[in-house]
Amino acid sequence: MTALLAAQRVSYRIGGKVLVDDVTLEAEAGRIAVVVGPNGAGKSTLVRLLSGELRPSAGRVSYGGVAVETMKPWRLACCRAVLPQASRLAFPFTAGEVARLGLDGIGRGLTSRDRAGILADALDRADVAHLAYRTYQSLSGGEQQRTQFARVLAQLMAGRTVADRQVLLLDEPIASLDLKHQLSLLEAAASLADEGVAILAVLHDLNLASAFADEIVVMAAGRVVTRGTPADVIVDDVVQGVFGVGLTVGAVPAAGRPFLLPQRSAVGPG
């Protein structure tokens, strides 16, 4: 079956600088791929290329075998949703109104009651139902991000009336969240994967990447350095070489998932 999302030898150059260099990857139904790497590795630019926001300088991005630049916006919105690192809003909307933006022009055959039910479900799953009547600007950064996640969930639910194969792109979605909501957002993403959605997320926390990913893609200087299961990728040589830190990877025997335990340097000052 044709991949839900495929990038084939994708590169992106701007101002003479190569931000993404010859990247090939696929997002598969029911699986979570997590992209990790140091600052400036090209992770966020890759997400913008995959979403169709940017057009690659070379290579091809496709959904179900169809080049993303040829897809009508309404159809693309039904088959993929994007949660960026941060979203700015100049208008005095409430959180509920922001989440409802995910429903605008999305879906087919939905009644007003259907849309209201989708919105209520999305707000609840993102844990912002109690904030629905608060103005968006009055929310904390984490509350705003959860509201944006509700918008994405509403978009996917409405989009299923048109596209039964969907992709969710998450660009550092938990950066502004507390620990509880970091876990709840990633658990919600995992639930979507269980429903057949292909998930591609950019994360900085290697422990969370290891815990949730089916595949980890490591990037540096715009290129894919290595990829594979967490156990294959989260190893001393990769962590130390790519991230430039002297950390040692351990493994929890019961879970079988690798983890990192940061430690202070044994070398004292001076």
Side-chain angles (χ1 to χ4, degrees), residues 14-126:
I14 185 169
K17 182 176 178 59
V18 180
L19 302 183
V20 172
D21 190 8
D22 199 29
V23 170
T24 294
L25 58 77
E26 293 184 352
E28 301 177 28
R31 291 175 62 82
I32 300 176
V34 175
V35 181
V36 302
N39 292 339
K43 305 182 300 295
S44 293
T45 302
L46 177 63
V47 170
R48 295 174 69 191
L49 290 164
L50 296 176
S51 71
E53 179 184 348
L54 295 177
R55 180 171 293 193
S57 305
R60 182 175 186 263
V61 174
S62 60
Y63 284 81
V66 180
V68 66
E69 66 270 15
T70 68
M71 298 180 70
K72 294 181 178 179
W74 67 266
R75 182 167 291 280
L76 181 60
C78 287
C79 72
R80 73 94 180 90
V82 186
L83 181 64
Q85 298 179 44
S87 303
R88 294 183 180 180
L89 184 67
F91 302 101
F93 290 168
T94 65
E97 289 170 334
V98 171
R100 192 165 60 235
L101 292 174
L103 292 166
D104 287 350
I106 305 296
R108 181 180 297 156
L110 292 170
T111 65
S112 296
R113 177 175 291 185
D114 292 334
R115 293 184 182 277
I118 288 173
L119 178 60
D121 188 16
L123 291 169
D124 185 60
R125 292 175 71 173

Side-chain angles (χ1 to χ4, degrees), residues 43-44 47 83-86 145 169-174 200-202:
K43 305 182 300 295
S44 293
V47 170
L83 181 64
Q85 298 179 44
Q145 185 70 340
L169 303 173
L170 303 169
D171 186 9
E172 297 186 33
I174 61 173
L200 187 140
V202 171

